[in-house]
């Protein structure tokens, strides 16, 4: 689709819509605080985002992945002299790294987009173009529940009153970041859909632990008797029920030792936390949830079997197998929606991953020294990266003196010219 059609075809100017922050109201979005997960004794369904985030492992995994992506700079690059250089003067670079729109920072946009892709399966970003500059005006992340995909016509119906975006959009006009896709490859599926059983086990375990602490570990059991107890009989269960209610009331008040009338017997049913192995169950759910999100358990502070080597390998595994595919997914979607086919090979968008592979200062210095010795970077290029002034002679490309060409492996040092008989006679 041409840029002219994108600009003049359809747009609701954000400034013309009364937003919620200005006192307006929205019919499809609410910014009220969510209710507690067990408000009124009702247990939220497993696919509820707020209920899922109440599980510590899910909260940590989502926060880790979303903020890891949001912390990386986005490089909008153009081809110059056979290499790609950062186009820092472009409007798109400012939107990607600083402020995509007037109500959101770039960090918030990327972190929320990744969160929506993980928890809802789909995140939608609409590029808004300026009719005056013929350039990008802003990037708008659509609110949750404001986008409906028409599977018959293959278009997106958006009704986001808060962000001022409304209308029908084609595939070329909207940036769609998807989770895992199944039969319908046009829509993503959230991680919660696959981890529903494991998430439910974790939430039920948390709620059971909460109930046990809330009532002080109240005893549960059955009151019974043999037929020889006076006052009770096979057809006089009402009296037995009264005894049970009195016992329950005394246990609820915190009494630990109570007396039973006559030969009434009490058999405890509730198992202790050790019997139910709550601790082992919680460890199991932590690892299961980490498998679904692709996050090493040590990243969610599960250090039961952690050492220096395993932590180092977990970091490499996280970067290679979890974070890198997620970044590539976003990069590919930005490339195909923001640039035309004719711009392929001349414009490129990518996340700057250099900060991921040199986390501590010691590793960073070793990495910088290795790139300088290999001739990949100059001294001044790294000094600029570290925000240091350039030095004279720092633009010269250096290589290690210990290396030589493969054809020179058999050649020794140049020897002096052998003396001939004529030379000896002259001497």
């Amino acid at each position: 689709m041409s840029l002219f059609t994108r600009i003049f075809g359809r747009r609701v100017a954000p400034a013309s819509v009364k937003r919620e922050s200005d006192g307006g109201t929205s019919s499809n979005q609410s910014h009220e605080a969510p209710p507690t997960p067990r408000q009124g004794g009702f247990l939220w369904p497993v696919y509820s985002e707020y209920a899922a985030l109440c599980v510590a492992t899910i909260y940590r995994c989502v926060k880790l992945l979303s903020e890891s992506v949001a912390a990386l700079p986005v490089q909008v690059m153009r081809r110059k002299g056979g290499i790609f250089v950062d186009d820092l003067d472009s409007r798109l670079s400012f939107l990607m790294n600083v402020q995509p729109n007037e109500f959101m920072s770039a960090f918030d946009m990327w972190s929320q987009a990744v969160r929506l892709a993980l928890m809802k399966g789909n995140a939608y970003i609409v590029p808004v173009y300026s009719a005056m500059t013929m350039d990008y005006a802003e990037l708008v992340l659509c609110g949750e529940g404001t986008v409906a995909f028409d599977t018959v016509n293959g278009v997106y119906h958006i009704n986001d009153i808060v962000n001022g975006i409304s209308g029908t959009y084609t595939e070329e006009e909207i940036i769609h970041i998807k989770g895992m896709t199944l039969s319908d490859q046009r829509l993503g599926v959230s991680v919660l859909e696959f981890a529903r059983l494991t998430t439910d086990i974790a939430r039920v375990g948390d709620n059971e632990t909460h109930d046990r602490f809330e009532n002080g570990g109240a005893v549960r059991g059955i009151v019974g008797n043999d037929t020889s107890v006076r006052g009770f009989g096979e057809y006089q269960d009402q009296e037995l029920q009264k005894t049970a209610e009195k016992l329950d009331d005394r246990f609820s008040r915190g009494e630990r030792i109570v007396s039973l009338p006559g030969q009434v017997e009490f058999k405890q049913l509730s198992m202790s936390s050790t019997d139910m192995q709550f601790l082992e169950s919680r460890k199991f759910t932590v690892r299961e949830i980490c498998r679904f999100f692709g996050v090493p358990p040590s990243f969610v502070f599960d250090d039961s079997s952690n050492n220096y080597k395993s932590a180092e390998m977990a970091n490499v595994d996280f970067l290679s197998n979890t974070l890198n595919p997620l970044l590539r997914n976003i990069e590919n979607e930005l490339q195909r929606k923001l640039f035309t086919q004719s711009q392929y090979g001349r414009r490129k968008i990518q996340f700057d991953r250099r900060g991921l592979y040199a986390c501590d200062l010691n590793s960073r210095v070793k990495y910088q020294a290795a790139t300088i010795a290999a001739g990949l970077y100059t001294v001044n290029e790294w000094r600029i990266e570290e925000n240091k002034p350039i030095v004279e002679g720092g633009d010269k490309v250096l290589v290690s003196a210990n290396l030589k060409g493969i054809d020179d492996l058999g050649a020794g040092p140049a020897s002096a010219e052998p003396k001939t008989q004529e030379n000896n006679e002259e001497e």
Side-chain angles (χ1 to χ4, degrees):
M1 180 172 292
S2 65
L3 182 62
F4 181 86
T5 307
R6 292 182 179 182
I7 295 176
F8 296 102
R10 164 219 319 105
R11 250 344 142 237
V12 176
S16 64
V17 178
K18 192 171 185 59
R19 302 175 185 254
E20 239 176 285
S21 57
D22 298 329
T25 58
S26 171
S27 61
N28 60 342
Q29 290 178 318
S30 174
H31 293 278
E32 298 178 358
T36 58
R38 294 199 64 172
Q39 187 177 32
F42 174 70
L43 187 64
W44 279 8
V46 66
Y47 48 82
S48 171
E49 180 180 359
Y50 291 118
L53 288 176
C54 289
V55 178
T57 309
I58 295 180
Y59 176 86
R60 176 58 184 166
C61 288
V62 173
K63 184 178 176 65
L64 175 67
L65 290 171
S66 61
E67 292 187 353
S68 295
V69 173
L72 297 178
V74 182
Q75 295 177 300
V76 180
M77 312 180 79
R78 57 185 177 86
R79 194 173 186 85
K80 180 180 180 182
I83 61 173
F84 284 95
V85 297
D86 288 336
D87 191 4
L88 299 178
D89 296 330
S90 67
R91 172 69 177 172
L92 193 57
S93 180
F94 176 80
L95 297 178
M96 293 279 188
N97 292 283
V98 182
Q99 182 173 305
N101 55 72
E102 57 181 325
F103 294 100
M104 184 177 289
S105 67
F107 185 92
D108 291 337
M109 184 188 74
W110 290 121
S111 61
Q112 291 185 31
V114 174
R115 178 186 60 83
L116 288 173
L118 293 174
M119 305 295 288
K120 297 298 181 182
N122 302 276
Y124 305 94
I125 301 176
V126 178
V128 179
Y129 301 87
S130 171
M132 297 182 61
T133 62
M134 303 292 288
D135 199 356
Y136 298 99
E138 58 183 11
L139 300 174
V140 179
L141 176 65
C142 296
E144 180 182 333
T146 62
V147 181
F149 181 70
D150 187 348
T151 57
V152 177
N153 300 313
V155 295
Y156 300 88
H157 300 288
I158 303 179
N159 185 25
D160 191 343
I161 299 177
V162 173
N163 291 309
I165 301 295
S166 179
T168 301
Y169 289 73
T170 61
E171 178 67 27
E172 297 83 3
E173 296 178 293
I174 188 169
I175 299 171
H176 184 187
I177 302 173
K178 299 186 288 290
M180 178 179 287
T181 57
L182 297 178
S183 56
D184 189 354
Q185 300 180 1
R186 296 171 294 182
L187 289 176
V189 182
S190 69
V191 179
L192 295 184
E193 289 293 328
F194 299 105
R196 179 171 297 185
L197 179 61
T198 302
T199 306
D200 193 28
I201 293 174
R203 287 168 55 258
V204 170
D206 289 345
N207 290 324
E208 178 65 20
T209 305
H210 174 267
D211 291 342
R212 286 175 176 271
F213 278 101
E214 186 178 34
N215 60 20
V219 180
R220 302 172 186 173
I222 295 177
V223 174
N225 71 291
D226 53 25
T227 56
S228 64
V229 179
R230 182 178 298 179
F232 294 102
E234 185 176 356
Y235 302 105
Q236 294 176 336
D237 295 336
Q238 291 182 356
E239 295 298 326
L240 195 61
Q241 177 65 27
K242 291 179 181 179
T243 302
E245 292 175 356
K246 290 179 181 179
L247 285 176
D248 182 56
D249 181 61
R250 296 178 67 178
F251 280 130
S252 298
R253 291 200 305 265
E255 295 186 34
R256 297 183 178 181
I257 301 176
V258 296
S259 61
L260 298 176
Q263 296 181 5
V264 174
E265 297 178 354
F266 177 77
K267 298 180 180 179
Q268 182 174 340
L269 287 182
S270 58
M271 292 182 292
S272 65
S273 297
T274 304
D275 295 333
M276 298 188 70
Q277 295 184 341
F278 273 143
L279 183 59
E280 293 300 322
S281 175
R282 292 169 74 90
K283 289 181 180 178
F284 169 77
T285 54
V286 166
R287 294 183 177 273
E288 281 293 286
I289 293 172
C290 287
R291 290 188 182 102
F292 278 107
F293 283 94
V295 175
S298 59
F299 280 55
V300 297
F301 309 108
D302 178 19
D303 301 323
S304 55
S305 60
N306 194 27
N307 53 54
Y308 178 78
K309 187 63 178 178
S310 63
E312 182 182 5
M313 295 307 298
N315 188 57
V316 174
D317 179 70
F318 174 70
L319 297 179
S320 302
N321 300 326
T322 302
L323 197 56
N324 195 58
L326 180 59
L327 295 174
R328 179 57 183 158
N329 179 23
I330 300 175
E331 289 170 348
N332 188 277
E333 183 68 9
L334 294 174
Q335 184 76 30
R336 76 188 193 98
K337 296 298 178 62
L338 297 179
F339 297 141
T340 61
Q341 183 177 352
S342 60
Q343 292 176 308
Y344 176 74
R346 296 188 291 114
R347 301 297 301 271
K348 183 171 68 171
I349 295 180
Q350 68 179 22
F351 287 92
D352 189 356
R353 295 170 172 80
R354 287 177 296 180
L356 293 174
Y357 296 98
C359 301
D360 59 279
L361 295 178
N362 188 38
S363 300
R364 184 175 179 84
V365 171
K366 290 181 179 179
Y367 172 68
Q368 291 174 345
T371 55
I372 292 175
L376 299 177
Y377 285 84
T378 64
V379 173
N380 279 342
E381 286 174 338
W382 273 122
R383 291 184 65 86
I384 293 173
E385 184 71 22
E386 297 292 338
N387 198 29
K388 301 293 183 182
I390 61 175
V391 295
E392 186 177 355
D395 293 326
K396 187 176 181 180
V397 178
L398 306 175
V399 292
S400 175
N402 296 326
L403 302 177
K404 59 173 151 179
I406 194 171
D407 335 348
D408 303 329
L409 288 178
S415 57
E417 183 180 356
K419 294 183 178 181
T420 62
Q421 185 175 0
E422 296 179 356
N423 292 336
N424 292 336
E425 293 177 353
E426 290 177 359
E427 291 176 359

